[in-house]
């Protein structure tokens, strides 16, 4: 088979890149080892900043029709203190985000890629990515074991943390402190709070936290992030999950399915481009899921990449120099985003610091609005960073507070 671009991975990053490229008349082939719809461990929250991107892709109506919930605020409960952050409504996007299962979202995006003209190969596992002087060859196997070779001018690595393209390039660097997510869906809301509020709740205790958000069909996404040592100390991940998450609103409340464990150790690529190759989504940058920005980063990086690729291929090039514009826009936007995320992580897991930050957020509406806008992807992180947000956040966490 031949294509202009092969996209390895059919999740939000890969599918949305394929939509954009196919609309430009570029021959695109998407390869994924799964058959869609399929479940995927994830917080399943699309921040408010993702809504304009869904509109650009032409899938917002389908997302709403699938039953996506609108969440207009984040509630943070940390070490005995609590604060609610409302998403601001004057940043060029709706003041709410969507919450929708990956089972539904990914299928919607992949169907849109097909409709745009992309070829989609499901249940095809990539075995090798070979870079040759004038082409790249993606070697895969179909579900029945038949070999398949796809020749292309360029390959996009959109296969997540374990992306075959990223592995072939050897560019990923993982943080030393490994972290794991334990996730299941519930029919009833866990915890003491009742109701069905349109809110994403984050409960922090020590070095772990629990995230709870409603999704479609009256269900709840309930996940907790723990350290490697905590996971090693408990031979049954399900038992650890139940102990960390706590009880439901009724004695019968609990997970509807087996608990799934996934690696959520932050990672980043030393660079995201090479000759005839480019990395997007989690394959290039994975932040701690506490800030809930993973799907936005996937959609945003795909938009950046597609624009650069279309220009490069139109000029007859696919080398690293022709793709350098992608590195530049990524650095401008994502480096600051990573810094903001790390600054928040630096204080929120420490009891005294977290209580100090929450107290400051309660007393300083401007600081609270800045944090809500940043975590909601409603304002560029470089603007947040340049205004001294991280310094103010750290100062709040370190400031002595009266009893």
């Amino acid at each position: 088979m031949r294509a202009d671009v092969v996209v390895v991975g059919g999740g939000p990053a890969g599918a949305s890149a394929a939509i954009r490229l196919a609309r430009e008349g570029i021959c695109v082939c998407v390869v994924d080892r799964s058959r869609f719809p399929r479940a995927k461990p994830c917080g399943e929250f699309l921040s408010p900043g993702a809504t304009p991107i869904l509109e650009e892709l032409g899938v917002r109506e389908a997302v709403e029709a699938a039953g996506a919930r609108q969440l207009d605020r984040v509630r943070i409960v940390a070490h005995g203190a609590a604060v609610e952050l409302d998403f601001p409504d004057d940043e060029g996007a709706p003041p709410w985000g969507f919450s929708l299962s990956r089972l539904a979202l990914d299928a919607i995006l992949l169907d849109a890629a097909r409709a745009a003209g992309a070829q989609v190969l499901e249940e095809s596992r990539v075995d090798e990515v070979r870079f040759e002087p004038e082409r790249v060859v993606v070697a895969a196997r179909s579900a029945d074991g038949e070999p398949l070779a796809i020749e292309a001018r360029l390959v996009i690595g959109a296969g997540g943390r374990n992306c075959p393209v990223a592995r072939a390039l050897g560019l990923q660097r993982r943080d030393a402190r490994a972290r794991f997510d334990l996730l299941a869906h519930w029919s009833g809301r866990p915890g003491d709070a009742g109701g069905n509020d349109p809110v994403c709740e984050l409960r922090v205790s020590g070095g772990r936290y629990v995230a709870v958000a409603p999704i479609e069909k009256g269900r709840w996404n309930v996940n907790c992030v723990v350290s490697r040592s905590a996971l090693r100390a408990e031979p049954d991940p399900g038992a650890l999950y139940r102990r960390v998450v706590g009880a439901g609103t009724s004695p019968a409340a609990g997970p509807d399915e087996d608990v799934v464990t996934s690696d959520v150790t932050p990672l980043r690529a030393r660079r995201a481009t090479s000759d005839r190759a480019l990395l997007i989504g989690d394959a290039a940058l994975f932040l701690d899921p506490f800030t809930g920005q993973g799907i936005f980063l996937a959609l945003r990086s795909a938009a950046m990449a597609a624009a650069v690729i279309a220009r490069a291929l139109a000029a007859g090039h696919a080398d690293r120099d022709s793709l350098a514009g992608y590195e530049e826009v990524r650095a401008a936007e994502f480096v600051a985003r990573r810094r903001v995320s790390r600054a928040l992580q630096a204080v929120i897991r420490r009891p005294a610091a977290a209580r100090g930050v929450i107290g400051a957020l309660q007393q300083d509406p401007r600081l609270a609005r800045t944090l809500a806008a940043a975590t909601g992807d409603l304002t560029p992180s470089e603007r947040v960073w340049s205004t001294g947000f991280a310094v103010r956040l750290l100062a709040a966490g370190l400031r002595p507070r009266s009893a």
Side-chain angles (χ1 to χ4, degrees):
M1 297 179 60
R2 287 181 174 83
D4 293 321
V5 178
V6 177
V7 181
V8 177
S16 58
I19 293 169
R20 294 177 183 275
L21 293 171
R23 288 177 178 172
E24 294 292 327
I26 294 170
C27 180
V28 185
C29 180
V30 181
V31 184
D32 197 285
R33 65 182 181 179
S34 299
R35 173 161 291 279
F36 291 70
R38 58 95 175 92
K40 183 78 172 178
C42 178
E44 299 180 325
F45 176 61
L46 293 94
S47 62
T51 301
I53 302 179
L54 297 178
E55 293 174 346
E56 292 173 9
L57 297 171
V59 299
R60 175 175 171 176
E61 289 185 2
V63 166
E64 292 177 327
R69 295 293 308 277
Q70 292 183 6
L71 306 186
D72 59 15
R73 63 192 185 278
V74 175
R75 180 185 298 129
I76 302 176
V77 181
H79 313 289
V83 66
E84 287 199 2
L85 304 174
D86 295 312
F87 294 122
D89 60 0
D90 58 351
E91 293 286 349
W96 38 257
F98 286 117
S99 189
L100 181 68
S101 70
R102 292 287 297 275
L103 187 75
L105 175 66
D106 291 16
I108 289 171
L109 288 168
L110 203 58
D111 284 345
R114 285 193 187 92
Q119 183 175 9
V120 178
L121 302 178
E122 299 179 67
E123 294 184 292
S124 298
R125 182 181 295 273
V126 173
D127 293 324
E128 183 183 14
V129 180
R130 298 196 306 272
F131 294 97
E132 300 180 358
E134 298 298 326
R135 64 179 184 173
V136 59
V137 179
V138 175
R141 286 174 294 146
S142 64
D144 58 8
E146 289 296 317
L148 173 68
I150 311 168
E151 299 178 3
R153 300 167 67 186
L154 182 146
V155 62
I156 296 177
R161 305 173 56 82
N162 300 309
C163 179
V165 181
R167 187 165 58 246
L169 296 174
L171 296 175
Q172 288 181 335
R173 296 291 182 268
R174 285 171 166 76
D175 280 10
R177 188 175 66 174
R179 301 184 63 75
F180 294 87
D181 185 24
L182 309 178
L183 182 143
H185 294 100
W186 295 41
S187 294
R189 179 175 181 166
D192 297 330
N196 201 26
D197 292 344
V199 59
C200 176
E201 184 170 286
L202 300 168
R203 308 169 186 169
V204 185
S205 177
R208 60 183 61 167
Y209 62 85
V210 176
V212 179
I215 58 172
E216 73 271 22
K217 298 180 180 178
R219 304 184 75 203
W220 295 81
N221 178 299
V222 184
N223 65 307
C224 63
V225 174
V226 300
S227 65
R228 183 195 297 274
S229 59
L231 194 60
R232 284 177 171 173
E234 174 55 74
D236 180 2
L240 175 62
Y241 174 85
R242 289 172 175 80
R243 187 165 65 251
V244 174
V245 170
T249 54
S250 71
D256 299 335
E257 58 202 25
D258 291 338
V259 175
V260 177
T261 303
S262 62
D263 186 350
V264 292
T265 305
L267 68 78
R268 61 189 177 96
R270 290 189 291 108
R271 51 184 170 83
T273 58
S274 187
D275 288 343
R276 304 192 177 281
L278 185 149
L279 303 178
I280 62 177
D282 291 350
L285 177 66
F286 185 91
L287 300 178
D288 190 296
F290 182 83
T291 51
Q293 296 169 304
I295 299 177
F296 171 83
L297 293 175
L299 299 174
R300 182 73 184 110
S301 63
M304 295 175 178
V308 171
I309 290 170
R311 290 194 298 268
L313 295 184
H317 303 295
D319 59 293
R320 184 182 170 190
D321 288 342
S322 69
L323 303 174
Y326 177 60
E327 296 283 13
E328 293 169 4
V329 293
R330 281 188 76 253
E333 183 168 334
F334 290 171
V335 169
R337 191 175 300 278
R338 180 170 175 267
R339 288 172 177 168
V340 170
S341 176
R342 290 171 69 90
L344 184 59
Q345 296 296 321
V347 296
I348 204 66
R349 290 196 181 100
R350 295 172 171 82
R355 288 191 288 269
V357 167
I358 288 177
L361 292 171
Q362 292 169 338
Q363 298 172 17
D364 187 344
R366 290 181 60 190
L367 185 65
R369 186 187 185 284
T370 299
L371 180 57
T375 57
D377 300 305
L378 290 168
T379 189
S381 288
E382 58 268 29
R383 186 195 307 169
V384 173
W385 189 259
S386 66
T387 58
F389 165 78
V391 173
R392 293 160 64 200
L393 195 67
L394 291 168
L398 298 174
R399 185 184 304 124
R401 305 190 67 82
S402 58

